Amino acid sequence: MCLIASMVLAGCLGPSSASWGTGSGAVSVDFSMESTTVKTTLAGEGSTIGDLIPVGCTPGSDGGTLAAGTGGAITFTGYLASSQFYDTHDPVMGPKGLELGVTTAVAIQSMSFDQAASVVDGDGARIDVKQWSSPLQPETGAGSVNLEKVDSESDTDWFVLGLIPTTEDILSGMKALGEWHQPVVVHGYLVSAENASNNQYGYQADWHKADNDCSMTIGTTNRQDTLVLVSRITLQDATVSANGEADDEWVQGDVPFLGRAGFILFFLAGGIGGAVGLFVVSKQMMMKSAKQSMRVLIGEEGMKKAASVKTDAKAAKAAGMESPAQRQKRKEREREALNKKEAKTSTPPKKAPKKEKAEDALGGFDLDSVLASTPTGRPTASAPSMRKSSVVATESAQEMDRMSVEEATPSSLPASIGQPRRSAPPNAGATNPPKQEGRKPPVRRKAVKKAKPTEQQAPKVESESTTAQYEEDEDFSDFSF
């Protein structure tokens, strides 16, 4: 899955290179045939190399004429074997002078464009680069070609070029050189400088020669090392121009034949369509396997009955019959619709009226005022004297309270006094003297006859006087205290 997802990024990734401008890790070139200035910060601190004069070529019958400040671009044609991009330069062990403005270095085997395009993949030169810190002095090792050992006896000719972009579009298009083993044509100018220390690999009239079509030639050493102000790059299927407006302009992320839009559509059609197709095929295989297992379990007769059940179900559905599940769903829908209809038609319950105040229910009787008023009668004996009460006690209620208090009060009379009287004569109790000295002598009590319910008031008064008499006698007859 990760491999398939990474296909979306095909052609969108590229090598890291310098940026255009005056910031950190950037380069900018003010190019003109009269005078060119290169500003670079690839080595850390900013460096400016000025007073540079491009060297152009004028085609001729006896070879192209190279001259500073005139002519057109010189071409370097061949098979791109290796390349190196720079976003920084080592300020101590790295290049010096104009080489600080190099953003890309390439190793190109010199041959015609058609010959380079006809090289079969895998048959071209392979270079094993160990280190390429200096643009024009690569350190190579094992491979089909070792650039450090190329000399006059070698069978192949090589260009080792340090490329300096003349525009921002050229700088962006140089990333196309990150794809090796392809035919390429680099169009540009050699560099002539008044200060030779700034241009160690600049134009040398006795060394650099061009053909009639201004293609650079290689001397007897079979290797040409030089710095180039690049104005154009030609690839097999695209072009990198100075203004970026060529009809076949190379664009990073472009896919040959299909293009970026075609590649995305192909990925969507192939990826999503393939996933859907695999799902359908896998589902069919699972159904086929399930049928085979079912045939083994229930046999051919069971399969026929199952098929007939399916056919009967379809016929019943076509006839308007419904299954129990469908019937249940229908009833539930009808019930819900009926409930909604009843909820809409039913009137909302009325709110219960608030209770009226107590004074309204009692006809103007104010209970708080009554409780706060002073009583008109005497308070009962059991009620506190300082407490206000709204309850008036009658004379009968007061008398009953008084009698309850007297009965509850402990008496100092002997225990026999409190017992009910017997019918024995009064002197019968005197014949039996008390066994203990501290026992109280018996006291005579007058018999009290019970009155009728209508005459209850008189016995109460007599009982009260009798009780008082008992209390007076007790005070003078009990010496136990």
Side-chain angles (χ1 to χ4, degrees):
M1 292 299 295
C2 295
L3 180 61
I4 295 174
S6 64
M7 294 178 62
V8 180
L9 303 177
C12 298
L13 303 178
S16 177
S17 181
S19 58
W20 183 267
T22 58
S24 178
V27 64
S28 63
V29 178
D30 183 11
F31 178 80
S32 67
M33 292 299 296
E34 291 76 14
S35 179
T36 300
T37 302
V38 177
K39 296 180 181 180
T40 176
T41 58
L42 298 182
E45 298 181 357
S47 300
T48 302
I49 300 97
D51 299 328
L52 302 176
I53 302 174
V55 176
C57 176
T58 302
S61 57
D62 193 12
T65 302
L66 302 178
T70 59
I74 305 170
T75 59
F76 301 84
T77 308
Y79 180 80
L80 178 62
S82 184
S83 62
Q84 177 69 30
F85 294 88
Y86 300 97
D87 52 5
T88 58
H89 284 302
D90 189 353
V92 179
M93 302 300 294
K96 305 295 181 182
L98 186 58
E99 288 183 89
L100 294 174
V102 175
T103 61
T104 306
V106 294
I108 300 174
Q109 184 179 357
S110 178
M111 63 180 67
S112 66
F113 192 85
D114 294 337
Q115 289 178 343
S118 63
V119 175
V120 180
D121 292 340
D123 294 342
R126 296 182 301 277
I127 300 175
D128 180 22
V129 179
K130 295 181 178 180
Q131 185 177 359
W132 205 337
S133 58
S134 180
L136 301 180
Q137 296 177 354
E139 297 180 9
T140 59
S144 61
V145 176
N146 188 349
L147 295 178
E148 293 180 312
K149 296 182 179 181
V150 173
D151 53 18
S152 57
E153 297 180 358
S154 299
D155 298 333
T156 56
D157 299 336
W158 290 87
F159 293 111
V160 178
L161 307 178
L163 306 182
I164 303 173
T166 56
T167 64
E168 184 177 1
D169 292 314
I170 294 294
L171 177 62
S172 300
M174 281 184 177
K175 294 179 180 179
L177 301 176
E179 183 180 353
W180 301 348
H181 307 156
Q182 63 172 331
V184 63
V185 179
V186 177
H187 306 259
Y189 301 86
L190 301 179
V191 183
S192 177
E194 296 180 0
N195 187 358
S197 61
N198 288 338
N199 190 19
Q200 181 180 357
Y201 296 95
Y203 169 68
Q204 297 179 9
D206 56 349
W207 180 257
H208 296 100
K209 303 293 181 179
D211 291 335
N212 296 337
D213 57 354
C214 290
S215 297
M216 179 62 65
T217 60
I218 297 177
T220 56
T221 59
N222 295 331
R223 176 174 166 176
Q224 186 70 269
D225 304 339
T226 187
L227 300 176
V228 181
L229 296 171
V230 181
S231 60
R232 185 182 180 90
I233 299 175
T234 302
L235 304 173
Q236 187 173 4
D237 299 315
T239 301
V240 179
S241 61
N243 55 11
E245 296 180 357
D247 295 338
D248 56 347
E249 187 74 25
W250 181 87
V251 180
Q252 186 175 3
D254 193 14
V255 179
F257 303 108
L258 296 177
R260 289 182 294 178
F263 175 78
I264 294 174
L265 293 176
F266 173 77
F267 176 79
L268 292 176
I272 299 177
V276 174
L278 289 175
F279 173 76
V280 173
V281 173
S282 62
K283 185 177 180 180
Q284 291 179 352
M285 293 177 64
M286 292 177 63
M287 294 295 293
K288 184 177 181 181
S289 177
K291 287 182 179 180
Q292 292 177 354
S293 301
M294 187 175 179
R295 183 176 288 104
V296 172
L297 293 174
I298 65 176
E300 292 294 337
E301 293 295 333
M303 292 293 293
K304 292 179 180 179
K305 292 180 180 180
S308 64
V309 169
K310 186 176 181 180
T311 305
D312 295 342
K314 289 182 178 180
K317 186 176 181 180
M321 299 178 62
E322 57 183 5
S323 63
Q326 294 175 346
R327 188 182 303 108
Q328 184 68 20
K329 290 182 179 179
R330 178 176 58 79
K331 290 183 178 180
E332 290 179 357
R333 289 195 299 267
E334 292 176 356
R335 190 181 301 109
E336 292 177 357
L338 182 60
N339 293 336
K340 290 181 180 179
K341 185 176 180 181
E342 291 179 354
K344 291 181 179 179
T345 56
S346 61
T347 58
K350 296 182 179 180
K351 296 183 179 178
K354 296 183 179 179
K355 294 182 179 181
E356 298 180 356
K357 294 184 178 179
E359 60 180 4
D360 298 336
L362 298 177
F365 178 75
D366 191 354
L367 183 60
D368 296 336
S369 300
V370 173
L371 294 176
S373 64
T374 305
T376 57
R378 292 190 306 167
T380 60
S382 61
S385 60
M386 297 302 293
R387 180 176 178 183
K388 295 181 180 181
S389 175
S390 60
V391 181
V392 179
T394 62
E395 293 296 334
S396 300
Q398 294 176 5
E399 185 67 22
M400 293 178 67
D401 291 342
R402 184 166 56 253
M403 293 176 64
S404 300
V405 172
E406 290 175 357
E407 292 176 359
T409 304
S411 175
S412 61
L413 295 176
S416 62
I417 301 301
Q419 296 177 355
R421 294 182 62 185
R422 298 180 181 179
S423 60
N427 54 1
T431 59
N432 298 327
K435 295 180 180 180
Q436 296 180 0
E437 295 180 356
R439 192 162 184 178
K440 298 179 183 180
V443 181
R444 295 180 182 181
R445 296 183 60 185
K446 295 181 179 181
V448 179
K449 295 181 180 181
K450 295 183 179 180
K452 293 180 180 181
T454 56
E455 298 177 357
Q456 290 180 358
Q457 187 66 24
K460 291 182 179 177
V461 175
E462 183 180 358
S463 176
E464 183 178 356
S465 60
T466 304
T467 305
Q469 182 180 359
Y470 290 160
E471 292 178 356
E472 291 176 359
D473 294 342
E474 183 68 18
D475 293 339
F476 293 97
S477 61
D478 188 7
F479 298 95
S480 63
F481 63 88

